[in-house]
Amino acid sequence: MTAASAPSGVFSPISAGVVSALVGFTSAFVVVLAGLAAVGADPDQASSGLLAVSVTMGLSCVLLAWWTRMPITVAWSTPGAALLATTGAVEGGWPAAVGAFLITGALIVLTGLVPLLGALIARIPASVAQAMLAGVLLQLCLGPITGLATNPLQVAPVVAVWLLATRFLPRWAAPFAFLTAAIVIGVHVATSGTAIDLATLTPRVEITTPVFTLAGVIGIALPLYLVTMASQNVPGVAVMKGLGYEVPWRRSMLVTGVGTVLGAPAGGHAINLAAISAALAAGPEAGEDRSRRWIASVTAGIVLVGLGIASSAFGALVSLAPAGVIAAVAGLALLATFTASLKAAISEPDEQIPAVVTFVTAASGIAIAGVSAAFWALIAGLVVRFVLRRGRRPA
């Protein structure tokens, strides 16, 4: 390689890494903040949680890419954050949620150490797992509709920009929707005369002593672990395999599991292998030289750490938003994931009834005995599937 071609060979993975980090962060950070707030975090604790997951997933990106020389990227659990947003507070409040985050991280570590546990997760029918996720996402995906009904003047620009970006620049649709929302919020603050406390813009880490409760384990930890594994880690490995990379399962689970454990006391819910966004750093956009694509993941990790340090500013921006705007951004950001989950859930005719039962149970939002609908949805879908398939001969 000539001296002239070396910089251009590095530029492609670096630019791909920057794009991967920006798209991943701006597409879903509002979902993370909403999920943490729903399970009891105050604004400072939610901002701390956003900082924790951003920094831990950024450092995990750097570590895994450097360690394996593969373009492995790590993301926060967007489906997990959506699950939290529809779960609500459990007995024990925010400390119990933090305890559940710690248990989730420990389970991910255990999955890396015990191959049988990973095999059991892989045996969860994809139709049931995806239907549970789709049911969880449904309520959040209604945000743009309810926002347009209650606050059309300020929500409509966000939806319009998202629609145009989806048509012409689909990868940037969610980030452009957030950028439009930021402009709407800025205009709202300027016209309403709302004062901004500059102290709220400084990075902060709020450490919470965890409390371990049965409601936290069953209502948050187990559903969060299952949705993170079934909707992020397992598909993430599959996406990377399709791009020609064999992700080291044990090392990936250990790094992301330990990262989740370390981030939990500061409010981080869970980190995992990137799935949908994995191709941004591992695909052709990261350069023709496959041996250099790991640089994209290192770059993405560095940018994510920087974005995490600015988490308080992002949290303050969200807190100043007029009614319906942030819910609309979150719903628009999740539409693609909702579509993919719903499609995967009902793609097999023989799996449709269990999938639909799972979907409607999760979408109901009911909590029985303090346990979230997502857990009961998984149980209902598996029971219905077992009964319908019991004694049937394979075709």
Side-chain angles (χ1 to χ4, degrees), residues 7 28 36 71 133 151 184 207 218 227 288 306 317-318 325 340 346 363 374 384:
L36 297 177
L133 177 58
N151 188 6
V184 169
I207 301 298
I218 300 177
V227 79
E288 296 181 2
L317 184 67
V318 168
V325 171
I346 60 175
V384 171

Side-chain angles (χ1 to χ4, degrees), residues 159-261:
V159 176
V161 168
W162 170 85
L163 182 59
L164 290 173
T166 300
R167 171 64 178 85
F168 297 105
L169 294 168
R171 179 182 299 172
W172 293 93
F176 279 165
F178 163 69
L179 180 60
T180 306
I183 295 172
V184 169
I185 295 170
V187 173
H188 171 74
V189 170
T191 56
S192 64
T194 303
I196 300 177
D197 184 1
L198 296 180
T200 62
L201 305 181
T202 57
R204 65 190 66 208
V205 176
E206 298 283 338
I207 301 298
T208 299
T209 302
V211 172
F212 301 99
T213 66
L214 182 61
V217 172
I218 300 177
I220 294 179
L222 288 180
L224 179 58
Y225 166 70
L226 291 173
V227 79
T228 297
M229 294 299 301
S231 301
Q232 291 283 157
N233 283 330
V234 173
V237 171
V239 169
M240 290 293 288
K241 187 173 183 178
L243 293 169
Y245 297 97
E246 291 289 342
V247 174
W249 175 259
R250 172 170 291 190
R251 277 185 281 181
S252 299
M253 293 304 100
L254 290 178
V255 169
T256 56
V258 170
T260 298
V261 170

Side-chain angles (χ1 to χ4, degrees), residues 310-364:
S311 59
S312 292
F314 287 104
L317 184 67
V318 168
S319 68
L320 296 170
V325 171
I326 295 303
V329 173
L332 293 171
L334 293 170
L335 278 178
T337 305
F338 173 74
T339 302
S341 299
L342 195 59
K343 181 179 178 181
I346 60 175
S347 60
E348 296 292 335
D350 289 345
E351 301 285 346
Q352 288 178 353
I353 295 300
V356 169
V357 170
T358 305
F359 173 77
V360 296
T361 305
S364 70

Side-chain angles (χ1 to χ4, degrees), residues 20-386:
S20 174
L22 290 176
V23 170
F25 186 94
T26 58
S27 294
F29 83 90
V30 292
V31 182
V32 174
L33 290 174
L36 297 177
V39 292
D42 62 32
D44 289 342
Q45 291 166 336
S47 295
S48 174
L50 179 62
L51 184 151
V53 288
S54 300
V55 170
T56 53
M57 74 184 187
L59 295 177
S60 297
C61 278
V62 173
L63 176 59
L64 281 173
W66 190 274
W67 193 3
T68 65
R69 286 302 195 268
M70 293 183 188
I72 300 174
T73 49
V74 176
W76 53 49
S77 178
T78 300
L83 171 72
L84 298 179
T86 58
T87 297
V90 297
E91 181 183 352
W94 176 241
V98 170
F101 300 161
L102 275 170
I103 292 173
T104 301
L107 288 173
I108 296 174
V109 170
L110 193 62
T111 304
L113 295 175
V114 182
L116 178 61
L117 185 55
L120 288 174
I121 294 298
R123 287 177 61 86
I124 297 177
S127 58
V128 172
Q130 293 298 326
M132 178 185 70
L133 177 58
V136 167
L137 295 178
L138 176 62
Q139 297 179 44
L140 298 176
C141 288
L142 295 176
I145 308 302
T146 56
L148 285 171
T150 58
N151 188 6
L153 290 179
Q154 293 174 308
V155 172
V158 177
V159 176
V161 168
W162 170 85
L163 182 59
L164 290 173
T166 300
R167 171 64 178 85
F168 297 105
L169 294 168
R171 179 182 299 172
W172 293 93
F176 279 165
F178 163 69
L179 180 60
T180 306
I183 295 172
V184 169
I185 295 170
V187 173
H188 171 74
V189 170
T191 56
S192 64
T194 303
I196 300 177
D197 184 1
L198 296 180
T200 62
L201 305 181
T202 57
R204 65 190 66 208
V205 176
E206 298 283 338
I207 301 298
T208 299
T209 302
V211 172
F212 301 99
T213 66
L214 182 61
V217 172
I218 300 177
I220 294 179
L222 288 180
L224 179 58
Y225 166 70
L226 291 173
V227 79
T228 297
M229 294 299 301
S231 301
Q232 291 283 157
N233 283 330
V234 173
V237 171
V239 169
M240 290 293 288
K241 187 173 183 178
L243 293 169
Y245 297 97
E246 291 289 342
V247 174
W249 175 259
R250 172 170 291 190
R251 277 185 281 181
S252 299
M253 293 304 100
L254 290 178
V255 169
T256 56
V258 170
T260 298
V261 170
L262 293 177
H269 66 295
I271 61 172
N272 44 245
L273 293 173
I276 297 175
S277 61
L280 293 176
E285 294 86 351
E288 296 181 2
D289 188 352
R290 293 173 59 87
S291 66
R292 290 176 176 268
R293 291 182 184 175
W294 64 274
I295 298 173
S297 295
V298 172
T299 304
I302 294 171
V303 174
L304 286 169
V305 171
L307 291 170
I309 293 173
S311 59
S312 292
F314 287 104
L317 184 67
V318 168
S319 68
L320 296 170
V325 171
I326 295 303
V329 173
L332 293 171
L334 293 170
L335 278 178
T337 305
F338 173 74
T339 302
S341 299
L342 195 59
K343 181 179 178 181
I346 60 175
S347 60
E348 296 292 335
D350 289 345
E351 301 285 346
Q352 288 178 353
I353 295 300
V356 169
V357 170
T358 305
F359 173 77
V360 296
T361 305
S364 70
I366 61 169
I368 302 174
V371 179
S372 67
F375 177 82
W376 297 116
L378 185 64
I379 298 299
L382 291 175
V383 169
V384 171
R385 187 177 186 272
F386 174 79

